[in-house]
Amino acid sequence: QVTLKESGPGILQPSQTLSLTCTFSGFSLSTYGMGVGWIRQPSGKGLEWLANIWWDDDKYYNPSLKNRLTISKDTSNNQAFLKITNVDTADTATYYCARIADYSGPFDYWGQGVMVTVSS
Amino acid sequence: DIQMTQSPASLSASLGETVTIECRASEDIYNGLAWYQQKPGKSPQLLIYNANSLHTGVPSRFSGSGSGTQYSLKINSLQSEDVASYFCQQYYDYPYTFGAGTKLELK
C-alpha cells in the first residue's frame, strides 16, 4: 500500500525559508524509474507543479520560482524534502507530495497535503 | 511552457447524465496527459493517465480520449460521488502544467 504524508511548519514569516518533508511507504526512491514530486494549491485555486526528484537523484524545478527551490531525498528513511527560500504571502498554499511510478508517468498517489501560511 | 486550457470552468449535470470535460494543450503533448479528481478538502486522485488509461480502482464510467493537443474526460451515468473538481495535467514536458480545473455540481 502506497502512502505519502507531508509535514511542515504551518505558519512562517515573510523572507523565511520553508522546509517541507514527505514521508512515504509502499515504495522505494531507489527503484529504477521512481520519483516524487511537489505540487501546491492556494486555497480555492488551481494546482502548480514545483519540483520532481528521481531515483537517480535527477532533479527538475519549475522555472517560475526561479532559484528559490531545492528538492532532495533520504532514500534510506523513505523521505523527500523541499525547501523554498525567501517566502512571501503568495507562497501561502496547501503543499502536496506525490509519487511518480514511471519515469514518464503521472502522479499516481498523493499525500493528504499540508497547509502553509506565510504571514507577518 | 505548455499551456493547458480546460473547459468548462464549471458544469451542472443531473444524476445518470453523461458529462464531458475538455483540455487543450498549446502544443502536441503526445498523450502525456492525466486527469485528476479532487473532492473538497481532499487531495487530487488520479483517474486517467496516458490520455486514455484507467488508473487502478477507478470506476469504468470514467474514460479519457484524445491525441495531439485535444483531450477529453467523459463520465458516463453521473453518480452523486462524482461531485468534485477535475484537473488535467500534461507531463510530456517540463515544467509540468495543469488545467485551471472544472467544478462539477449536481443539477
Side-chain angles (χ1 to χ4, degrees), chain A residues 39 41 45-49 52 54 60-63 96 100 103-113, chain B residues 1 32 34 36 38 41-46 48-50 55-56 87 89 91 94-100:
Chain A
I39 305 100
Q41 184 176 37
K45 298 190 177 179
L47 298 159
E48 179 182 30
W49 171 75
N52 284 356
W54 296 98
Y60 292 86
Y61 296 102
N62 192 325
Y96 299 100
I100 309 169
Y103 190 62
S104 59
F107 298 112
D108 63 346
Y109 291 95
W110 295 59
Q112 64 188 29
Chain B
D1 298 6
Y36 301 92
Q38 186 177 31
K42 300 293 186 182
S43 57
Q45 302 293 308
L46 178 65
I48 302 286
Y49 64 98
N50 293 349
H55 183 52
T56 305
F87 295 90
Q89 179 227 341
Y91 49 90
Y94 286 109
Y96 292 177
T97 46
F98 291 85

Side-chain angles (χ1 to χ4, degrees), chain B residues 34-88:
Chain B
W35 291 97
Y36 301 92
Q37 177 193 66
Q38 186 177 31
K39 297 184 178 180
K42 300 293 186 182
S43 57
Q45 302 293 308
L46 178 65
L47 297 174
I48 302 286
Y49 64 98
N50 293 349
N52 55 26
S53 296
L54 200 65
H55 183 52
T56 305
V58 175
S60 59
R61 64 179 181 274
F62 291 91
S63 64
S65 64
S67 63
T69 62
Q70 300 275 3
Y71 298 88
S72 60
L73 171 71
K74 187 164 76 170
I75 309 172
N76 286 317
S77 188
L78 188 70
Q79 306 294 304
S80 57
E81 60 264 33
D82 300 335
V83 170
S85 292
Y86 294 84
F87 295 90
C88 62

